[in-house]
Structures are given as structure tokens and as C-alpha cells.
Amino acid sequence: MSEPRFLRALRRQSVDRPPVWLMRQAGRYLPEYREVRAQSGGFLGLVKNPLSACEVTLQPIRRFGFDASIVFSDILVVPEAMGMELSFGVGEGPKLAPPIRDAAGVARLSIPDPDKFSYVYETIRRIVDGLPAAARQAAIDGVDDVPLIGFCGAPFTVASYMVEGEGSKNYVEVKRLMHKDPETFMALLDKLVETTTGYLVAQVKAGARVLQIFDTWAGELAPDDLAIVAVGPVSRLITKVRALLPADSAVPIIYFARGCADALDIVKGAGADAYGLDWRARIARSWAVLGDEVAVQGNLDPACLFGPAEVVARKTRSILDDVGHRPGFVFNLGHGILPETPVDNVKAMLDVVRLARV
Ligand code: CP3
């Protein structure tokens, strides 16, 4: 039996049409998600309950029949396991306390045993069990083998939240530490590489068949800093994970460095199998920089899904035209789907992708 088109595309093999999934495909734009979340005592309660986390992961598969599923969790469970206090206030972004601002703060962080994330692996096993039935319910071209993506935050992005203590507008605290005490900042990144390595490998052992590394804030960095504090640690992480995975596991690794359209020559130093592009990137030009030996994923502006359905269809088609017949393309948004997105527009986008032939 041939592999699912998502895996084939990531390996740059021929496919009947581009595979499609969306970052944050389980989330607040879906009424069925909001219902489970309300019953789970908020977002973290949802993440830590494998039954509900599995349920919300499968919801977008049942509704839309996406070509890939992504485990419902968050990148910030890693600093929590390292000893920080994580909270998501109602209507606010995440908070991590106390913020890490110096060498003593970094020294206090532990490198937890991968077992610390056992609830994530339990969620993964349940999802893998439930995926075939969920895909059959969607009844999209008879497909019922949907690969599950495991993920983590990239060290720099996770470190930004740890140093700032929350989301940030100008990243002054994290950049202050990076410039003032580069050794301490590197020690923090190293601890994150170490913790994340075991976590990703264990996600694969539990059933994840693809890994994605989210570097949401990489684009805030000047190019020389980008190479040292974002791409370097990701490259070490990828090398370590590959060395620990069984040789026959062939798990493609996707690196999504947001806001880096003009720095892809640096980003490709990560050595990933595929690169996620945000909506600012021009696909053909970006791919020319990244090279033929990698797959590319992206990159419809998530806000485009607020437009009329004809605009959604036209913009979707324009991305597919830009890709042309190159093997190795995965359709996605340029960042996570937004909470207020009209659900019908997701359908309008999918209809265009599913009619495309490559
Ligand atoms: O893609 C998926 O469906 C899997 C789930 C997933 C979540 N977060 C669920 C979530 C993934 C892959 C993430 C990654 C993540 N988390 C990133 C990197 C990707 C990105 O979007 O940039 C970042 C930066 C975080 C940190 C984080 N988590 C923030 C900034 C927020 C608040 C923003 C918001 O949308 O409210 C979260 C919360 C969060 N993580 C939600 C979801 C569905 C919203 C929680 C809710 O209110 O239900």
C-alpha cells in the first residue's frame, strides 16, 4: 500500500494532489472545540486530559478530512516540565513564572525525564487509535490512513517566553539577556535542546510519524543572531533526534521559522526535511533559496480566510499556481488559523486544494 500523500510530499515523491492541513486546526474557530474546552476547565485542563485532548485533535479530521493530524498540546508544556509555573488566564496569552533573567534562573531549571510528558504520549496513542474512524467519517477520497504530527517549540521561541514571562511586543528582555550574557543565554538554549530531544523522540515512539518545530519568534532576530540563537540550536536538536530514532523510522522533520522570508539561506542551515513558510514569503523564490532537496509547506495568509469565499478560492489557487508541478509541496496557512475564522471559508479553501492536480 502506498504511503499517505502527506508523507509522500514530505519525501518529495509524486502525489495525486497536494496534501493539506492547518496549523492550529483544532481550536476556537470550531464550535465543537469550544464545547469540549468549556467542559475541561480551560485550555491546560484540556491539554492534560488525554481523552479530551484526543477528542479535539480528531474533531477537525472528522469535519474536514485533513491529510494530517497534529497532537493537541502546547509548546509551553516544556518550560513547565523544567520547573516554571505555566498559566493561561481567561482572554490572555500564556504566562510563565518567575521569568528567567540570569544565570541563577537558568541553573534552577531541570532537564526533566521524557516521562514527565506521559500525558502527551497517552494522547498520541489514543489519537493513533481513533484516526482511521475519524478519517472515514470525513469520507474524503476513501483515505483512512492519516499521519499524526508531533511537535515542539524551537529553543529560541520557547526561551523568549521563559525570559519575558509572557508574550512580548519588542523582546527587550530576551534580547537583553542574549546580548548582555550570551553564555547564560546559550546555556538556556542548550537545556531546551536537551529536554526537547527526549520529548520529540518519545512522541515518535508513541506514534507520531512527522515532527514539526515551531519557531514563531525567529523573525524578530537580526540575521547574525538568527543563525546563532535560533537556527543553530534547531540544527543540534534535529541532529540529536535523528541519531536517537531507529534508522528505519524515516520521520520527516518540518521547521517553521516564522517571519524569515528574507533569511531562508540562514534558516536552511537547520537541516530539516521540510520548511514552513509564512504568508510574507513568495513560494517559488523561497524554494529556489531553500533548494530542491527539501519540501515546502505553506502559506496562505490566515486572515485571508475572513474574506469572501471567491477571494479565498482565488488566493488558494494562486499559491498552487506558484508551486506548479514541483514535487514536495504541502498546503497550509502561513501561521495558525485565527479564532474567529468562518468555518465555511475553510471548506472553500479545501475545495480548491482538492481539485488541484500535480
Ligand atoms: O496546531 C494544532 O492544532 C495543535 C495545537 C497547538 C496549540 N499551540 C494549541 C493552542 C500548537 C501546535 C501550539 C503551538 C504554540 N503555542 C505556538 C507555536 C505556533 C504558533 O501558533 O505560533 C506558540 C507560540 C504557542 C504559545 C501559545 N499558546 C500562545 C501564544 C497562546 C495564546 C494565543 C491564543 O490563541 O489564545 C496559546 C494557547 C493555545 N495553544 C490555544 C490553542 C488551541 C488557544 C487556547 C484556547 O483559548 O482555547
Side-chain angles (χ1 to χ4, degrees):
M1 221 176 61
S2 160
E3 280 196 309
R5 56 171 82 80
F6 179 52
L7 293 177
R8 291 187 58 84
L10 290 173
R11 305 193 205 292
R12 288 169 293 104
Q13 295 164 342
S14 62
V15 286
D16 53 346
R17 58 139 174 103
V20 51
W21 71 281
L22 306 184
M23 293 187 274
R24 293 275 181 100
Q25 63 192 14
R28 280 171 295 188
Y29 74 109
L30 292 177
E32 60 267 37
Y33 169 86
R34 295 195 297 268
E35 198 171 306
V36 177
R37 181 178 179 267
Q39 294 159 3
S40 308
F43 173 67
L44 266 186
L46 182 49
V47 164
K48 297 216 172 151
N49 177 338
L51 266 171
S52 349
C54 169
E55 168 58 23
V56 298
T57 304
L58 296 178
Q59 285 172 346
I61 303 299
R62 292 190 199 110
R63 191 191 263 262
F64 298 115
F66 288 119
D67 292 292
S69 170
I70 178 161
V71 57
F72 192 81
S73 182
D74 197 83
I75 62 169
L76 300 181
V77 300
V78 166
E80 185 192 40
M82 294 170 83
M84 298 187 78
E85 197 180 312
L86 172 64
S87 58
F88 288 87
V90 180
E92 297 171 40
K95 290 212 165 30
L96 281 169
I100 308 292
R101 298 277 162 89
D102 53 23
V106 174
R108 270 196 301 276
L109 294 167
S110 69
I111 297 178
D113 189 279
D115 285 353
K116 194 99 187 199
F117 305 99
S118 55
Y119 61 95
V120 177
Y121 317 138
E122 168 71 18
T123 302
I124 289 178
R125 287 190 288 271
R126 285 179 182 275
I127 297 167
V128 170
D129 265 3
L131 270 171
R136 282 195 295 273
Q137 199 169 325
I140 306 293
D141 23 272
V143 168
D144 71 354
D145 182 11
V146 177
L148 176 66
I149 305 167
F151 74 88
C152 67
F156 173 72
T157 286
V158 176
S160 308
Y161 284 100
M162 295 169 85
V163 176
E164 298 286 339
E166 59 193 348
S168 172
K169 278 210 164 60
N170 45 25
Y171 300 85
V172 166
E173 292 302 335
V174 68
K175 289 184 179 180
R176 190 205 307 273
L177 182 63
M178 169 177 87
H179 292 305
K180 189 184 76 177
D181 189 351
E183 268 168 46
T184 294
F185 193 56
M186 208 40 93
L188 172 58
L189 296 170
D190 284 346
K191 276 193 164 174
L192 283 164
V193 168
E194 203 57 40
T195 303
T196 309
T197 299
Y199 178 45
L200 287 181
V201 169
Q203 289 187 56
V204 172
K205 287 187 179 151
R209 288 153 83 186
V210 171
L211 294 171
Q212 177 155 322
I213 301 168
F214 287 89
D215 217 347
T216 308
W217 304 125
E220 300 299 321
L221 290 163
D224 50 348
D225 297 325
L226 174 70
I228 293 166
V229 303
V231 178
V234 168
S235 154
R236 294 195 286 282
L237 172 63
I238 291 177
T239 304
K240 279 168 176 274
V241 168
R242 287 209 183 108
L244 289 171
L245 288 176
D248 62 353
S249 62
V251 172
I253 302 179
I254 307 166
Y255 179 37
F256 173 61
R258 179 170 170 262
C260 292
D262 189 47
L264 294 171
D265 53 328
I266 297 171
V267 167
K268 76 175 179 185
D273 301 285
Y275 291 88
L277 300 177
D278 72 34
W279 65 93
R280 303 166 186 93
R282 282 175 279 184
I283 292 196
R285 283 166 59 111
S286 300
W287 214 332
V289 175
L290 290 166
D292 278 333
E293 60 289 356
V294 300
V296 160
Q297 173 175 284
N299 73 341
L300 185 71
D301 182 353
C304 162
L305 293 175
F306 290 82
E310 314 81 75
V311 176
V312 172
R314 176 155 47 78
K315 301 266 184 191
T316 302
R317 211 169 290 120
S318 133
I319 289 174
L320 296 165
D321 290 344
D322 201 11
V323 171
H325 296 282
R326 289 176 81 143
F329 182 67
V330 175
F331 192 93
N332 204 314
L333 300 179
H335 192 202
I337 187 165
L338 295 160
E340 319 297 335
T341 301
V343 172
D344 286 347
N345 277 346
V346 175
K347 185 74 175 39
M349 178 201 75
L350 287 172
D351 287 345
V352 174
V353 180
R354 288 187 176 132
L355 282 175
R357 287 293 170 265
V358 290

